[in-house]
Each structure stands twice: as C-alpha cells, then as structure tokens.
C-alpha cells in the first residue's frame, strides 16, 4: 500500500490506483468530464487537475498514479482557477442554447459551469467559425457538433465497450473532430444503434432523438430487467406521466450500464399500443373469431388439450420449448412441468445469446 495525503487526510491506496481513485476512496470528490473508468482515461478535458507538492504543472487526477508521500490539494485556489479557465475554454466553442437542448438539467458541463460560477466564456472559440451541421438522419440518434466538447467518451465507448468502432476521431484543418456516423449514410456504417455513445456523452452532443420529448426533472426511474433476451441486462425505465418515454442502461452484473438496440429502443413502445393483447382469447369454432376469456378458462382449456394429447399419444408426443425472454426461474419451472406433467424429456430453450 502507498500512503499519501489528500486535502489534509491521510489516505492508503494501492500502488496501481490513480489520484482520482484514491480521493474517491475517502469520499473526496474531484470533478471530471471526459473520464469513464477503464473506458476513457485520456485526461483530455483536464477538469480533474489537482495540485501536487513538488510538481510545477497541475496533473490530471484520472490518469496520474499515486506515489508514496504525495501531498495532493484538490481544491486549492490555483486548482479552482485552472478549472474555471478550462470551463471557459470549453464554453468558448460551445453553442449556448441550453433552453432547447434535450440534455438541459442533466448536462455535466452545465452542472460544472453552475458549480464554478462560469456563465459566459471570456474567450471566443475558433471552432465556432467552422460550419458544423447537425447530423440527424439516423432513426434514433442525433449529433450536434456545436455541443461537442471532444471528450472522446463516445469514441472509446463505441470502440472498447460496444466493440463497433463506428465513431472515430478525425481532423479538419488544425482541429480534431468527432466523426459520428449519424448522417445520411449512417446505415452503411458499423453503427448498430445501441445508443451507448449517447448514454456516455456528458453533454447534449449525442442524444437519443426521443429525449426531446421530456425533461429529466419531469420523470421518475423504474429499475427493471430487459425483456428481450437471457443476458438479463438491467435498465431504468424513464417514466413521465405514467408512460415510459425512454430507457437507460443500469449497472447490472451482466451489462454494466450497456444495452443493445433491442433493450434500448424496442422495449417500451408496444406497451401502450391499441392492438396489444391484454387478456386471454379463445377462438369460437362456430364463428372463427377470437373471444375474450378469463385466465381460468384459458388455462383450463390448454391443460385439458395437453392432457388429451398425453393420454392419446404418450408424453413423447409433447415438448416444451422456453422462450429466450424468460427468466432462469421460469425456464426451470417449464422443464419441471414438461418432465413431471407431460412425462416427457423433450424440453429445451433458446436462451443462448
Ligand atoms: S449507437 Fe452504438 S454502435 Fe452506434 S456509434 Fe453509438 S455506441 Fe457505436
Ligand atoms: S459527442 Fe459527446 S461523448 Fe462524444 S466527444 Fe462529443 S461531447 Fe464527448
Ligand atoms: S436484448 Fe440486449 S439489452 Fe436486452 S438483455 Fe439482451 S443483450 Fe441486454
């Protein structure tokens, strides 16, 4: 273990820990914008700068390792001034339309500007002179270059976590740019519309298009499990006026905040559809029409038909195949029923994702 001192507190940290991690271990908050643990530790935004005794420059806490005897200041006057300058520089290239931005109220840049009292940039950004059109031909996602702070969370999320490398870092003249594949030819790119880049983006630069239909403060979150496959990703349903308006990946053991396109964009629209089947239906053999039934009527009918088949043809005539959307517990119950009630070993499921 390494012993160091952060803001006057003696801290013990592993030798592979960064200053940021050591500070977090004793509940000292250091602000970050580009940082995402094990995904984006490039120290590009520089919001996490700290003062270290004996070092002239202010190092970035997210990617500087702790050292024995280090003395770190996370809130010194010099550090606060540096962070204000950084926010001024970020804002100098940032379109200031917070009222119309879908991320208003949930934007990490907005929150930090509020915390550090930065309302207007004292600089005029040179990127503002370059034409940077919005890319919104993608069915789910939209990219506003004027809201992009080039933190690269999206680039590294797509490459290292989603595994697509659909977003790249490009160049225009002397500037770096983010090449987000959300323009007219988005369907020829590697993007699979999972939306993990939008969830990672700290500003409103990449957003799900449906986000413009609500504001964060109007909603509540309901933690649930994705209904689409046996991976069992954890997700938060975003609910406004008792209707699900969006989905966000939650930190579950199998998904760690990520979702695929099905979990993100195909999990909730059907809930309020007019033609959704909400109760059991039994076909009237005389009219050929389906008619509403009670659960008892429907289950009795199904049970009597299965029993009839088993008695006439034996258990081998029956099989049970569980849906991949079922939970482990439901799949277990199905095989139990097939073996004990159907008297058959013909049982399987398609949960092999
Ligand atoms: S939606 Fe998914 S695949 Fe497409 S760019 Fe974003 S992270 Fe990459
Ligand atoms: S689009 Fe968002 S995540 Fe990507 S670089 Fe810009 S601000 Fe960062
Ligand atoms: S469908 Fe996608 S989001 Fe849902 S559980 Fe499977 S992998 Fe996760």
């Amino acid at each position: 273990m390494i012993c160091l001192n952060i803001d006057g507190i003696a801290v013990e940290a592993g030798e592979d820990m960064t200053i940021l991690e050591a500070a977090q271990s004793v509940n000292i908050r250091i602000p970050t914008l580009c940082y995402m643990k094990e995904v984006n530790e490039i120290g590009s935004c520089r919001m996490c700068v700290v003062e270290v005794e004996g070092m002239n420059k202010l190092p970035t806490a997210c990617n500087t390792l702790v050292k024995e005897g280090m003395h770190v200041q996370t809130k010194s006057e010099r550090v606060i001034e540096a962070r204000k300058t950084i926010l001024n520089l970020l804002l100098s290239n940032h379109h200031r339309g917070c009222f119309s931005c879908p991320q208003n109220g949930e934007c990490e840049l907005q929150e930090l500007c509020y915390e550090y009292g930065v309302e207007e940039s004292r600089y005029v950004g040179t990127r503002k002179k370059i034409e940077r059109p919005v890319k919104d031909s993608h069915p789910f996602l939209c990219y506003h270059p004027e809201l992009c702070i080039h933190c690269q969370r999206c680039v590294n999320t797509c490459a290292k976590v989603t595994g697509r490398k659909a977003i790249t870092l490009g160049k225009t003249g002397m500037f770096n740019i983010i090449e987000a594949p959300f323009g007219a030819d988005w369907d020829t790119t590697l993007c699979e519309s999972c939306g993990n880049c939008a969830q990672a983006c700290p500003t409103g630069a990449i957003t799900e298009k449906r986000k413009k239909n609500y504001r964060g403060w109007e909603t509540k979150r309901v933690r649930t499990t994705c209904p689409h496959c046996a991976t069992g990703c954890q997700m938060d349903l975003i609910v406004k006026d008792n209707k699900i308006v969006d989905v966000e990946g939650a930190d579950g053991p199998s998904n760690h905040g990520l979702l695929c396109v099905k979990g993100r964009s195909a999990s909730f629209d059907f809930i309020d559809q007019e033609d959704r089947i909400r109760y059991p239906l039994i076909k009237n053999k005389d009219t050929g029409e389906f008619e509403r039934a009670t659960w008892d009527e429907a289950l009795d009918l199904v049970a009597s038909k299965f029993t009839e088949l088993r008695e006439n043809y034996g258990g081998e005539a029956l099989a049970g195949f569980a849906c991949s959307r079922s939970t482990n517990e439901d799949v277990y119950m199905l095989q139990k029923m097939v073996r004990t009630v159907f008297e058959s070993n013909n049982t399987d499921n398609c949960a092999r994702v």
Side-chain angles (χ1 to χ4, degrees):
M1 297 297 275
I2 299 260
C3 295
L4 69 160
N5 187 297
I6 307 179
D7 291 346
I9 298 172
V11 182
E12 277 199 357
E15 59 188 23
D16 56 350
M17 281 170 86
T18 60
I19 296 175
L20 179 69
E21 289 167 330
Q24 286 170 338
S25 73
V26 289
N27 294 324
I28 294 175
R29 175 178 163 266
I30 297 176
T32 57
L33 267 176
C34 68
Y35 172 76
M36 284 182 83
K37 189 169 168 52
E38 287 169 15
V39 177
N40 204 38
E41 296 174 340
I42 56 176
S44 75
C45 78
R46 310 201 67 77
M47 270 309 288
C48 67
V49 287
V50 290
E51 198 167 355
V52 175
E53 206 173 273
M55 286 175 84
N56 281 337
K57 291 185 180 162
L58 301 179
T60 40
C62 73
N63 56 8
T64 304
L65 292 179
V66 292
K67 281 202 182 118
E68 185 65 38
M70 215 177 211
H71 272 73
V72 182
Q73 292 287 331
T74 71
K75 302 179 191 68
S76 68
E77 212 173 299
R78 193 172 160 218
V79 166
I80 301 294
E81 230 9 81
R83 288 184 191 149
K84 283 184 182 176
T85 303
I86 288 156
L87 288 170
N88 268 279
L89 288 167
L90 288 173
L91 276 194
S92 72
N93 283 308
H94 196 83
H95 176 66
R96 295 282 312 285
C98 292
F99 282 176
S100 58
C101 177
Q103 201 69 2
N104 189 10
E106 293 174 278
C107 170
E108 294 176 44
L109 178 64
Q110 192 185 55
E111 279 166 26
L112 286 171
C113 286
Y114 174 71
E115 183 182 340
Y116 284 82
V118 177
E119 290 180 13
E120 292 284 340
S121 177
R122 49 180 185 252
Y123 311 113
V124 179
T126 37
R127 277 198 200 109
K128 275 195 171 159
K129 294 175 189 151
I130 306 168
E131 200 187 340
R132 294 178 292 169
V134 173
K135 291 183 174 183
D136 70 348
S137 307
H138 193 287
F140 302 117
L141 297 153
C142 193
Y143 176 56
H144 286 259
E146 293 188 336
L147 305 178
C148 178
I149 59 170
H150 294 195
C151 68
Q152 300 185 44
R153 277 197 198 175
C154 57
V155 176
N156 282 322
T157 297
C158 187
K160 292 188 194 169
V161 194
T162 306
R164 300 304 293 169
K165 294 191 182 163
I167 303 183
T168 51
L169 190 64
K171 274 238 170 223
T172 170
M174 61 189 281
F175 301 118
N176 286 332
I177 50 164
I178 300 297
E179 305 274 16
F182 306 146
D185 60 348
W186 69 271
D187 52 349
T188 63
T189 70
L190 290 170
C191 175
E192 56 183 30
S193 309
C194 67
N196 290 316
C197 51
Q199 187 165 329
C201 181
T203 69
I206 297 182
T207 50
E208 293 281 345
K209 286 186 168 175
R210 56 183 175 254
K211 204 157 179 18
K212 67 177 185 305
N213 298 328
Y214 68 90
R215 288 288 186 259
W217 61 80
E218 301 174 313
T219 62
K220 65 175 182 177
R221 287 166 178 266
V222 180
R223 179 69 48 90
T224 189
T225 305
C226 174
H228 280 292
C229 87
T231 306
C233 296
Q234 292 295 287
M235 53 167 62
D236 283 339
L237 302 175
I238 312 296
V239 181
K240 176 185 170 187
D241 298 336
N242 221 23
K243 281 199 168 177
I244 302 169
V245 289
D246 208 347
V247 165
E248 268 183 26
D251 189 13
S254 63
N255 67 311
H256 297 297
L258 303 174
L259 293 175
C260 76
V261 62
K262 290 191 293 179
R264 173 109 38 206
S265 293
S267 286
F268 60 94
D269 283 348
F270 56 84
I271 290 171
D272 294 312
Q273 292 300 308
E274 292 282 309
D275 54 355
R276 180 179 169 199
I277 297 172
R278 293 166 192 272
Y279 38 75
L281 297 165
I282 295 177
K283 195 180 234 179
N284 181 326
K285 284 191 177 162
D286 296 330
T287 64
E289 297 295 320
F290 281 105
E291 291 173 0
R292 184 168 182 164
T294 65
W295 279 106
D296 279 346
E297 287 167 341
L299 290 169
D300 284 350
L301 176 68
V302 172
S304 69
K305 293 287 179 190
F306 279 139
T307 309
E308 203 178 301
L309 285 169
R310 189 194 63 196
E311 281 171 2
N312 287 342
Y313 305 105
E316 280 300 294
L318 290 165
F321 195 78
C323 162
S324 68
R325 299 180 188 188
S326 305
T327 60
N328 267 344
E329 291 76 9
D330 284 349
V331 176
Y332 177 83
M333 290 300 288
L334 178 89
Q335 67 79 31
K336 196 78 178 165
M337 185 183 80
V338 170
R339 292 185 208 280
T340 57
V341 182
F342 288 5
E343 297 170 2
S344 167
N345 287 324
N346 299 330
T347 183
D348 201 351
N349 74 82
C350 58
R352 298 201 176 84
V353 178

